[in-house]
């Protein structure tokens, strides 16, 4: 079984993906980490993020062992990921890795921006997570502070709005809900309630089969 979870920045889709995978005993891939790793490869080398050839080279040399590097979680690397992920050839190189991950047994949960639309259009369950931008900014600010980073909520909100705009309007694989996706608005749900709502969606789809 493949569960696709898509949604904008800081929507909580990553936590939801991890928790759903745990609940069903499936593997989990946070696909944002892949684009973040590509961006960080360029940033760490002091290279220009707008250099498509270098971004493609970094995507070809992707090392999943490095996905745990805490720097990948930072806002500046997230911004960089939004830039490199708009390159069609970067996305093309990364498609196979994601599809292979999804196909391996016993089942997988992938979260990102284009899982239900491009990577796994035949996913068994598709969930599109949304939340009010102000709520997302507030949550992201608290998370950053908990990690010991400084964060100004208004600046985080501006970043979220800019990132949504870039992710939704890029020419290739833009962020949007698949026609057969179930929308989950977690603006007013805490993590536990969000997880319960997602499990209810999966169970409803299973029951209909
Ligand atoms: O979900 P995230 O914040 O880790 O994603 C960082 C950036 O990576 C996001 O702004 C757009 C890009 N991304 C993408 O284009 N496709 C995905 N499946 C996941 C992330």
């Amino acid at each position: 079984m493949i569960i696709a979870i898509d949604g904008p920045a800081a929507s909580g889709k990553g936590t939801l993906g991890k928790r759903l995978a745990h609940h069903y005993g499936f593997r989990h891939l946070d696909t944002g980490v892949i684009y973040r790793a590509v961006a960080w490869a360029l940033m760490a080398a002091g290279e220009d993020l707008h250099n498509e050839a270098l971004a493609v080279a970094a995507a070809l040399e992707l090392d999943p062992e490095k996905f745990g590097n805490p720097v990948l979680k930072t806002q500046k690397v997230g911004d960089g990921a939004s830039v490199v992920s708009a390159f069609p050839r970067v996305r093309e190189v990364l498609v196979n890795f994601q599809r292979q991950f999804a196909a391996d047994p016993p089942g997988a949960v992938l979260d990102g921006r284009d899982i239900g639309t491009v990577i796994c259009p035949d996913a068994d369950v598709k969930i599109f997570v949304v939340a009010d931008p102000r709520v997302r900014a507030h949550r992201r600010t608290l998370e950053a502070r908990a990690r010991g980073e400084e964060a100004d909520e208004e600046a985080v909100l501006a970043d979220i709005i800019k990132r949504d705009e870039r992710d939704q309007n890029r020419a290739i694989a833009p962020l949007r809900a698949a026609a057969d996706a179930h929308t989950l608005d977690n603006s007013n749900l805490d993590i536990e309630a969000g997880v319960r709502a997602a499990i209810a969606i999966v169970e409803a789809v299973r029951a209909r089969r």
Side-chain angles (χ1 to χ4, degrees), residues 13 31-32 35-36 81-82 85 91 112-114 163 167 170:
K13 63 190 181 327
T31 63
Y35 297 95
R36 287 170 182 261
S82 181
S85 66
R91 305 197 72 87
R113 301 288 190 290
D114 63 337
R163 188 105 65 91
D167 292 347
R170 66 182 176 216

Side-chain angles (χ1 to χ4, degrees), residues 6-10 13-14 30-36 72 77-86 91 98 111-115 119 140 163-164 166-167 170 172-173:
D6 291 298
K13 63 190 181 327
D30 163 5
T31 63
V33 160
I34 303 175
Y35 297 95
R36 287 170 182 261
L72 299 185
V77 178
D79 287 343
S82 181
V83 174
V84 298
S85 66
R91 305 197 72 87
Q98 295 172 81
D111 66 73
R113 301 288 190 290
D114 63 337
I115 308 305
I119 304 296
R140 178 132 301 177
R163 188 105 65 91
D164 284 357
R166 199 189 290 138
D167 292 347
R170 66 182 176 216
I172 180 160

Side-chain angles (χ1 to χ4, degrees), residues 15-154:
T15 306
L16 206 59
K18 203 161 154 184
R19 292 285 303 270
L20 265 189
H22 181 74
H23 180 83
Y24 287 106
F26 294 166
R27 291 159 311 109
H28 172 237
L29 181 64
D30 163 5
T31 63
V33 160
I34 303 175
Y35 297 95
R36 287 170 182 261
V38 171
W40 177 242
L42 269 63
M43 293 165 85
E47 299 289 358
D48 179 7
L49 284 165
H50 297 86
N51 185 326
E52 182 169 8
L54 286 182
V56 170
L60 285 167
E61 283 167 19
L62 201 69
D63 178 1
E65 302 245 318
K66 295 187 184 157
F67 287 172
N69 184 346
V71 76
L72 299 185
K73 292 249 176 241
T74 59
Q75 186 173 315
K76 65 176 182 179
V77 178
D79 287 343
S82 181
V83 174
V84 298
S85 66
F87 290 131
R89 286 203 296 136
V90 167
R91 305 197 72 87
E92 220 175 274
V93 166
L94 301 171
V95 166
N96 286 344
F97 174 81
Q98 295 172 81
R99 289 200 179 138
Q100 188 57 53
F101 185 94
D104 287 342
V109 180
L110 283 79
D111 66 73
R113 301 288 190 290
D114 63 337
I115 308 305
T117 50
V118 176
I119 304 296
C120 302
D122 297 327
D124 302 272
V125 186
K126 298 180 186 178
I127 301 175
F128 195 76
V129 188
V130 295
D132 183 273
R134 286 217 157 262
V135 173
R136 289 188 274 140
H138 185 62
R139 290 178 183 157
R140 178 132 301 177
T141 303
L142 296 182
E143 277 167 23
R145 289 186 185 147
R147 283 197 303 268
E149 287 172 39
E150 278 183 33
D152 169 53
E153 195 160 324
E154 287 305 313

